[in-house]
Every structure is written in structure tokens, then in C-alpha cells.
Amino acid sequence: MIKAHQKSVEDLFSILETSEKGLTTSEAGKRLQKYGKNELATKKETSPIVIFLNQFRDLLVIILIVAGLITAVIGVLESDQSVIIEIIAIVVVIILNAGLGFYQEYSAEKAIEALQSLARSEVIVLRNDEKIRLKAEELVPGDIVFLEAGNVVSADIRVVKSYEISVSEAILTGESLPIRKVNKNLPEDTPLAERENMLHKGTTIVSGSGKGLVVKTGLDTELGKIASSLTEIEREETPIQKKLNLLAKQLTIFIVIIAASIFIVQILIVGLEEFTELFIFAIGLAVAAVPEGLPAVMTLSLAIGVTRMARKNALIRKLPAVEVLGSSTVICTDKTGTLTKNEMTVKMVWRDQDQYEVTGTGYTKIGKIIEKTTAEEVEPGQNLELETLIEIATLSNEASIEFQGEDKPYKTFGDPTEVALLIMAEKAQTVDKIKERWDIEYLFPFDSNRKRMSVIAKEKKTGKYRIMVKGALDILLEHCISYVEDGEIKTLDSEMIEKIIKTSERFSSNFAYRILGFAFKDIKKEEAESLLEERNVESVEEDLIFEGFVGMIDPPRESSRPAILKAREAGIRVIMITGDHKETARAVGNEISLSLEAEPITGKQLENMKDEELRERVKETEIFARVNPSHKLNIINALKYHGEIVVMTGDGVNDAPALKRADIGVAMGITGTDVAKEASDMILVDDNFANIIEAVSEGRRIYDNIKKFISYLLSANAGEVITVLVLTLFGLFFFGHIFIPILAIQLLYINLVTDTFPALALGVSPPEKDLMQRKPRDPEERLLDRQLVIFIMIFGLFNAIGSTILFLWTIGFDLSIDILTADLARARTIIFAALVIYQSLQCLSVSQNVTIFSKKTLENKILIGAIFLGLLLLLFAIYIPFMQIFIGTYPLPPIDWLMILITAIPILIFQEIFEKFYLYPEQAE
């Protein structure tokens, strides 16, 4: 076993048969076969057979099957074939229902698994001496990995190069403070918590950057040894799922009480002679009436919705986020890469009061650097001062680019801002020469709080040391004491600082340029050695010489403005939070239609602002500029004080607290760190703001459809229960005897025909046209409110009245007949058919907020298909001979169908009026 912490990097290169150039693709492939994927043991998948058998766990179903089997045995002993056929039919229908339940649960399981594979993290490694991105699971021992702040370490890695890397190892060692990592050999017996030259799988890089050598992967890692496993998508129940499960349990108890009451009353009147038949009927009624399919349909609808969101590049990590999205009232979003394209291009350079234009766009070499006053192209070596700025831009930089051809875009790695600086340097044709001329002795990575990055570089030829710094212009100027003018170093006084700031603000407000400043300081060897030993960034970034600044443009995405207008129409405010200069933020905000009525607030103003003032200002302000990640928490707290449901985007390590505090934390898929992604509820795969609005729309659609199928299933099942109850009492009062108005098998068949396919279709229905014109939903809204309960009860009563009229029709409205000797097959069949028709019309009615007679009814082809299938199955049950025996039906004549339609019309009119003007009045306007 390799004790990597004890070995030098050179020894490990030899042992692992690799080098600083990384592995070859073919060798990496062989090692993947040898060591396996870089994964920890995951939870075993639930077997499809287990999922299927779980459908029979319901106590009522078990009782019904057992009772049926006992009755079947009695039927065999007594040679009663009708009983045997009925029991076989019940069992078959139960198995069919279980099959559909299995399909729903299995489909949801597979959808979540697919999302988990999408959420897996990527790493940048060196293969064939070239940087490539690959899935972390494909790492093998011997790979060279690039390390960045915010990454979750993907394997056990020996430090090769560390620039201020600090790692949180709490997950592994319990140590709460970050541990600084360095490249040095350690004694063999060094405890795990003290191995400062190692990074372990599952730990988090808090700050810094560098490079490492993979020494162990998968179960061979320290985390693998203790068999820990982190899931990427949290499969917790949503609040609405919890409410629905509770509602299903409550309804089950209620319906069982009703079924038991009917059974007891029947037994008291009839006696024990028909105990078996009445018992099976009571249990069958309970099984058919209990909406046990509600949670399953709900889960499948969520899974399908989440999959649809993933196709639109919005990856849900926590299912409750789907529900909350539909209630969101404010979206706080970053600017760069989210509202803008994140394709930075340097357009101008300003130094020594001279301006240079940089032509070309995007990540290609096409373009030149031209002096504005003379319109002359700047040739290499012609302007030494400008080359100094380009040197700083190139060396104080962690990005890299690979040339792909004169007219082709560069292959890029790293932050788009730094990539743009390298492209600018390439236009001056100096990148390779600069890197040949200088060695980087040490690097202090960019920090969102410092807003700067610096390097200590050494010129190879002369041995001269130079500190090179880039960063936010206003902050960088605070650390400068001099500037260059006409080749001379002059004191940087307040007047000159004001002049530089005003010049940059002009470019920001007029052209929406993002401004980045550059500074340097030449130091002696002794000072350099001292700084390299101390590695104190504060000492390095002081008393600098200001060199100039660049203006770069990051154009807004074409989709941002329409998305913001769409959000506004949906009652959602959009707030832009950026680290950029106030004037840049204002210019971009104006272009994408953010409100400028309230003055943008800066980070400095936030720090000096009392909570009460911020709470007042946040009501109107839609632009926050020059903010740190810590300021996001203040903004969220102020918004939540007013009861807002806040969506917050973020990509950095320091954004994690804000992402967790927000109601919905959205991490960036491209620029987002692993830490941000772990803290988030949703990942925006392409960093595109417009897809947040699409996700909100999808969240609203899912909730809308859930309400529809809840309304449908509960009212349909209530219709069955109330119909049976009313007809049972009707028989008692008018015929003086209890009779079974509809067979248990017929109730179960109705359950199969109307509860399954239409409910599934409602769950995936297309969105209403006014969906994004409605106000955000109150998250405290009750699932089953008073209006819906009234609707369910009245609909059930109408069903019962219609069924009673149809029953009387079949007996010629003769209340004097002996109900015990009457042929009830036709009466039961007409009630059976009527309930299916009533529920089919009810399904169409709840599917949309416009009248059922509109053209839109026919647009929902899935629902039409589901209802058509249900009606087809109804006709099979009534007119196919073996099904008549099986289900106990009678072939209805055309006049009976006409009567069913006549009784259905008032029920449909009631549904239309009640739903449009009482249940959903705001949607009818």
C-alpha cells in the first residue's frame, strides 16, 4: 500500500508510472479497467419485483384478497361457479391495478436515477499533456488534477503545487477549521488529520488553487474505507407529498368507517345469510373509494416534471424545490454569465491617459490592438508600457487557452474574465514570449472579498522579481501609491485617483464595460525571498504602482430581457446582484429592463446601512453593485422580513450560506463550485437566467396539475361512495330491504378505468395559457380547502341523484316491486356505466380553466386518449360476452345510454359553473 504522504512527488511519479504531463488516454483507460470507477458503494437499487409486491401492502387489498380466496373455496365446495368467477375477476382487477401502480413507481424511480447521473461533478485533469474535463468517476491513480476553491475533492490526492490551498476536512476528521495544504514530505506515522500534503475524497477546498496527483480512488480512499456515501439528489418528500400522504390516510379511515357502517347496517337487517357477499362488497367499496393512487400519481407527476425541467437545463436536487418554485416572489440573480453571455471580450485598454481599442469578439485570435489617437496597430515591442500591462494580465491569471487554428475559437479552461485577458495578449502575439520570460514563484488566487489576485514572478534572464496584481479598479487603487506617466513613476494623489475613477465610470455607463485594474511593484531578491517565506498577501499587495485598466464587455443574453418581462408579468421581481461597478450594473440593468427608479445600492452602502433602512430600500431597489457574497445574506434577510419567497443564484464558495438561506438556492452549472452546488436546491446547467423563469413556470404547472388530479380523484371517489350510500338507504326506506346497487368487481373496474389513466393524464397536462399571468401562490395554501370540500360533496350528491334516477328508470319507477326477486343486472350496469361517464366528463371539466366546449379541450391529446381508453374498456365490459360474465354486466340498449347522458347534463353544468365562478374565480376573469 502506497503511503503517499511519506513519499516525495518525484517518488510517486515513479511508483504510479506517471509524470507532470499526466497519463495518456490509453493508459488511463487501462487503469479504469483495473481500479474501477471512482465511486463509493451506493445504496442497492430496489428490485422491480419488490416494487411490484409493494403494491399489495395495503391492508384493505390484503383483506379483500383473503376474503375472496375464502369465498372462492366455499364456492368450490358448494359448486357455485358464479362466486368463483366473481372472485377471479376481483383478483385480476387488483393485479391490473397493482401493475399500473408498479409502472408509476418504477417510472418515478428511473427518472430520479437519470437526474442523479446528470448531477455528477466534473474535474479538470491533464491527459496527453493537455487539459480536459471529465466526470469525477473516471479519475484513476496517476492522474494530474487541477484544484480550485469550491471544489469537493474527488479522490485521495497528493499535493504537487499549492497556492494558499485550505481544505475543510470536517467530514473525515471532525476538524472544524480549514487545514492549509503544502507540498512536503511527512513522517510515515503522521495521523490522518495532520497530513497537510494530502487532500482526501469528500473534503472541500475552501480557498486557493493548485495541482495534485491522484493516488487512490473509489473504495480505496480514506472516505471509502469508512463506507460513507453522499447522494447528489436529496430524495426527500415535498411538503405537498407529506400533506397528500396524510390526506390519503385520513380519507382511508373515513371511508373504512363508512364502508363498515354500511356493512353493519346490512348485516343487522339481512342477517348472516349473505355475510360473505356483503363483506366482499364492503371491502371492495373501500378499496375502490380510497384514493390510494394519489401519492403514486403525485410522485410520478413530480418525477416527470423534474425530468422536463432537466431538459430545459434546470436540474432539481431537492424535490421540495419544485413546489416552492411556483410560490417564488423574488429572484435575486448574479449578472455575469447568468443575465449575460459570460463571453468576455476586452474592448479597450487605458494607461498613462492613452486609450487603445481592441478589435474582434469572442475567443478567437482575430483582432488587433490599435492606439485610439493615431489609429495605428500596436506591434510587439513597440509599446513597452502596454506590454507591461499585458504581462500582468497574462501572469496574474489562472486560466489557460489552447490554440485550435487561426479562425477557430480557442479551447479554454478557467474564468471567462481571465480567458479574455489571455485572448487580448494573444492579439499582441506575446503570450508564449511572456511565459518564456517569467517564472511564477508564488500565486495568491482571486478572492471575492479582496477582489484581487497577485503573483510573485521572477524574470528568468535577469533574476529580477516583480509583484503583479489585477483586481477591481476602485479597490486596487486603494493599494497603489504611484502611477506611470510618460515612462516616469509619479505619486498617485487623490486628484489622479478621482480622474481615473471618473474615466472608468464613463466607459462603464456609456458602454457597459466591466473594468479591471492592473498594478505592479519591482522588489529586490531579499524582499522577494522574505515574502515567499511569509506568504502574507497583505504585505505583497501594498505600495503598488498603478499601470492601467481594461474595459471588457459581456453582452446580455438575448433571452434575459424577455425572461425578466415574463417574470414581472407573473408577479415576480427580479433583483440583480453583482460584484461589478455600479455604472456597469446600471447600464446592463437598463438594457435588460430592470427598474432604475430606485438608485442602485453598493456594497459599501450596505455595510453602513441599518437593517431598518435596508428593509425599506429593498422594496424598490432592483440593482445591487460591488457586493460581496456576505452581503447577499443581508439582502435575503431583508426580503424575507417582508414575507417574500426568495430565489437566489450563486457560484462561489462564499455563496453557500446565501444559497442555503434562500427559499430556493440556485447554483451555476458551468461556473459554479462544488460547494455552491451542494448547498443549492437547483442547478442551472447552462447558467442561463431565462431557464429559472422556465423552471418557475414548470413548478407552477406541476402544482396546478396536482390540484387538478386531487380535485378529480377525490370528487370521483366521493361520487362512488355517496352513490352506494344513498342507494343503500333508498332501498331500505322504499323497498324495506337492503340490496347491493353495484357489485364489488364493478367498483374495482371503475377504479381501474377512471382513477388511473385520466389521473396520470391530468398530472402531465400542458400549462394553462394564463399560468404566468397569475400572482405567485401562497405557500401556506391548503391542499383541501373549504371550497374544494364543498365541491366534492355536492358532486358526489349529484352522482347519487343521477344514479338513483337511472335505477328507478330501469325498474319503471315502480316502488312496489319486490327488490329481492328483481333482476338487478341491468340496474347495476346502468349505474356502473353512469359513474364512468360522470367521472369522464368531470375529468375533462377540471383539466382546464375554460369551458369544456372550447377547442382547447381537444388540444390535450393525452387526456382525450386516456378518457377514450376508459370508455373503450367500459364498452368491452358491457358488450363482450365473457366480460359480461366476468364483470356481471348487462348489454344496455341505446335508450339507457340516452338516459345516462340526460342525467349527466345537469351534473356537467354544475361542474362548469361551480369550478369557474366559485372554485377558481381568479382564473375565470
Side-chain angles (χ1 to χ4, degrees), residues 643-656:
E644 304 284 6
I645 307 298
V646 184
V647 177
M648 173 68 77
T649 70
D651 55 11
V653 184
N654 297 330
D655 286 328

Side-chain angles (χ1 to χ4, degrees), residues 121-138:
S121 61
E122 290 186 334
V123 291
I124 298 177
V125 302
L126 211 57
R127 293 264 176 95
N128 305 313
D129 200 21
E130 288 185 357
K131 283 184 177 180
I132 64 166
R133 287 185 180 88
L134 51 76
K135 295 282 186 185
E137 65 191 43
E138 296 174 23

Side-chain angles (χ1 to χ4, degrees), residues 90-154:
I90 288 173
V91 171
V92 168
V93 172
I94 287 173
I95 290 172
L96 285 172
N97 266 316
L100 289 165
F102 162 78
Y103 165 75
Q104 293 168 10
E105 191 172 332
Y106 186 72
S107 298
E109 192 83 14
K110 287 299 176 186
I112 296 296
E113 283 177 20
L115 291 174
Q116 284 179 323
S117 67
L118 284 174
R120 286 170 187 155
S121 61
E122 290 186 334
V123 291
I124 298 177
V125 302
L126 211 57
R127 293 264 176 95
N128 305 313
D129 200 21
E130 288 185 357
K131 283 184 177 180
I132 64 166
R133 287 185 180 88
L134 51 76
K135 295 282 186 185
E137 65 191 43
E138 296 174 23
L139 280 178
V140 295
D143 267 327
I144 300 294
V145 181
F146 290 87
L147 309 167
E148 294 180 359
N151 287 355
V152 172
V153 181
S154 302

Side-chain angles (χ1 to χ4, degrees), residues 55 482 527 643:
Q55 308 307 310
S482 312
E527 186 182 355

